[in-house]
Amino acid sequence: MSFEFFVARRYLFSKRKQAFIYVISLMSVLGVALGVAALVIVLGVYNGLTTDMREKILGANAHGMVLSTLPDGFALDPGVMDKVLATPGVTGATPFIYSEVMLSAGTGVKGLILRGIDPVQAPKVLSMLQTIKRGSVEDLARADTPPGIILGEELTKRLGLALGSRINLLSPSGQRSTSGFQPRIRPFVVVGIFKTGMYEYDSSLAFLSLDASRDLLGMPKDYLSGIEITVADLFKADEVTAALNSTIGHRFYARSWMDMNANLFAALKLEKIGMFILLAMVVLIGSFSIVATLVMLVMEKTRDIAVMMSMGATRGMIRRIFMYQGVIIGLVGTLLGYALGLGVGFLLKKYQFIKLPENVYTLDHLPIIITVSDVLIIGAAAMILCFLSTLYPARQASRLKPAEALRYE
């Protein structure tokens, strides 16, 4: 053990005449601990909410899409599906049709986002179709008339629908007749009800089979809006879409889920940085207490400092003594903060005792995901702030002159 560390430890843990310094030291440790614990818990909750939102978005949407610059691009090049599946990193693909229609059921009317899908291939790409709350995706492929439709739970509650209910869909691409323009209307039967937890999807999204979608929209039998894909590594979807753009031809282009939701996740990232800075102020308050502790300790140990310098201790050694004290306080506070934050996080994750209203949030409990990188960044930030708070008191201690300090002793 070095001389500086030995003296710093003695000053911190030995009995002192002034108990008030003990109280300030304790407040410094608790301030740092509370700041670190708050950062661990809040960033863990942020990670949980962000992950839940990403999973729900990617449950209703694929990892990427291949779209065409021409209305009939997929009809002109039917081999594009094979090119997509042959691209390294692509694990699944399914065609889709996208449009907006009007739903009419009894006295209720609602605008819908229509998704025409392949009932066999789509569940392999869209995870939400694997866990439909009631009904089955396979029923979309039935040959009965009228054809089937899958709706969100919020929409069925609003319109009083259930499995087997009959509805009508009105397409904006109507047909001309001798009596003028008439909207295209087709009857459907509810064969499935899904729930994602996101109100926007559960209240305004509907799934039909590809053939039923083409019939409703008045499109040719080989019409497609695009191809949805899944990739092996979710966070490398942009690399896969870049590879697709170089192989699928000039009529088509690919976009990843990162591109399509860039604004949303950029805003969430900015919020995380803002929360980190805000909560780091709590650690900063604890570091201010370290300054007060060390200043008072320097005043109390003036004679000791003078004696040590008279016996040969250098200014650098005196400076390091008080720097070590601040670092020890910061280290103890950080470790206590880790214990408190990780402990509360474990309890939140295991017992889920903080409940959330489902009609307001996308889930019914407070999620928490604590990552190693966040924990390390929090600890490093806390230790840096604590170290910086030691510089001024340590510098002042090292500038004491032995003769002046001992003159009145």
Side-chain angles (χ1 to χ4, degrees):
M1 184 183 298
S2 66
F3 167 75
E4 297 94 328
F5 186 78
F6 174 78
V7 176
R9 186 174 62 85
R10 288 291 301 271
Y11 279 175
L12 278 176
F13 300 110
S14 61
K15 295 182 179 180
R16 298 194 189 118
K17 298 178 181 178
Q18 299 182 12
F20 184 63
I21 298 181
Y22 277 123
V23 176
I24 296 179
S25 300
L26 180 61
M27 292 300 103
S28 302
V29 171
L30 292 179
V32 174
L34 290 176
V36 170
L39 277 168
V40 169
I41 295 170
V42 171
L43 293 186
V45 171
Y46 166 85
N47 291 334
L49 290 172
T50 303
T51 301
D52 177 77
M53 182 178 296
R54 183 176 65 243
E55 289 176 351
K56 285 181 167 57
I57 290 175
L58 294 179
N61 300 277
H63 299 164
M65 291 185 182
V66 176
L67 305 172
S68 176
T69 57
L70 302 175
D72 56 349
F74 290 94
L76 296 174
D77 188 359
V80 68
M81 176 68 81
D82 296 331
K83 296 179 183 178
V84 170
L85 290 172
T87 303
V90 175
T91 57
T94 182
F96 74 95
I97 294 175
Y98 179 93
S99 185
E100 296 181 8
V101 297
M102 187 72 71
L103 180 148
S104 173
T107 59
V109 178
K110 177 71 169 65
L112 280 184
I113 302 297
L114 175 67
R115 297 275 295 276
I117 61 172
D118 183 332
V120 177
Q121 297 180 11
K124 302 175 184 178
V125 175
L126 303 177
S127 60
M128 62 168 289
L129 296 177
Q130 302 171 8
T131 56
I132 288 184
K133 194 170 183 180
R134 293 190 291 275
S136 172
V137 181
E138 288 75 13
D139 291 336
L140 290 179
R142 67 180 192 172
D144 301 342
T145 55
I149 185 172
I150 298 176
L151 301 175
E153 186 179 58
E154 291 295 332
L155 180 61
T156 59
K157 288 181 180 179
R158 175 177 172 179
L159 300 179
L161 303 175
L163 292 180
S165 297
R166 294 174 66 94
I167 65 169
N168 293 316
L169 293 185
L170 291 77
S171 169
S173 57
Q175 51 193 2
R176 295 186 181 276
S177 65
T178 56
S179 59
F181 182 85
Q182 294 182 348
R184 189 182 297 269
I185 303 175
R186 294 290 186 271
F188 292 87
V189 174
V190 179
V191 297
I193 298 174
F194 66 85
K195 180 181 179 181
T196 64
M198 295 193 71
Y199 181 81
E200 293 79 5
Y201 293 144
D202 294 343
S203 64
S204 59
L205 182 60
F207 292 96
L208 299 179
S209 66
L210 290 174
D211 292 336
S213 301
R214 293 182 182 118
D215 177 64
L216 174 64
L217 300 173
M219 298 297 180
K221 64 177 183 178
D222 53 359
Y223 172 80
L224 292 175
S225 297
I227 298 173
E228 294 179 298
I229 64 170
T230 54
V231 298
D233 189 339
L234 179 65
F235 298 100
K236 292 184 178 180
D238 53 346
E239 298 178 11
V240 176
T241 54
L244 280 170
N245 283 324
S246 63
T247 59
I248 56 180
H250 65 279
R251 293 194 186 100
F252 307 96
Y253 64 96
R255 300 185 66 191
S256 69
W257 67 272
M258 302 173 185
D259 299 328
M260 293 182 286
N261 300 280
N263 291 337
L264 172 62
F265 288 103
L268 291 173
K269 185 176 181 180
L270 183 62
E271 288 180 4
K272 181 178 182 178
I273 295 173
M275 285 190 295
F276 182 88
I277 294 174
L278 182 64
L279 291 173
M281 296 298 104
V282 180
V283 181
L284 185 61
I285 293 172
S287 66
F288 286 158
S289 299
I290 294 176
V291 176
T293 300
L294 295 182
V295 168
M296 296 190 67
L297 188 60
V298 170
M299 295 172 62
E300 180 186 353
K301 300 297 183 181
T302 299
R303 184 177 62 180
D304 293 1
I305 295 170
V307 171
M308 285 188 291
M309 294 182 72
S310 299
M311 296 176 65
T314 64
R315 296 186 183 276
M317 296 172 69
I318 300 299
R319 184 166 56 247
R320 285 191 292 273
I321 287 173
F322 291 94
M323 290 172 66
Y324 283 159
Q325 290 185 54
V327 170
I328 292 172
I329 292 175
L331 181 61
V332 173
T334 300
L335 293 178
L336 287 177
Y338 277 165
L340 179 60
L342 295 175
V344 172
F346 172 78
L347 294 176
L348 280 173
K349 188 173 183 178
K350 183 175 182 179
Y351 298 105
Q352 300 177 358
F353 51 83
I354 298 182
K355 299 297 181 181
L356 302 175
E358 285 191 84
N359 57 342
V360 177
Y361 299 95
T362 60
L363 66 173
D364 62 352
H365 64 278
L366 195 65
I368 185 164
I369 298 176
I370 299 174
T371 63
V372 175
S373 59
D374 282 345
V375 171
L376 294 178
I377 291 173
I378 291 168
M383 291 304 299
I384 289 173
L385 288 175
C386 293
F387 173 75
L388 293 177
S389 66
T390 67
L391 297 181
Y392 174 76
R395 179 172 175 270
Q396 293 300 110
S398 66
R399 295 177 65 183
L400 285 176
K401 297 180 180 180
E404 294 293 331
L406 296 173
R407 174 175 295 180
Y408 302 103
E409 294 295 336

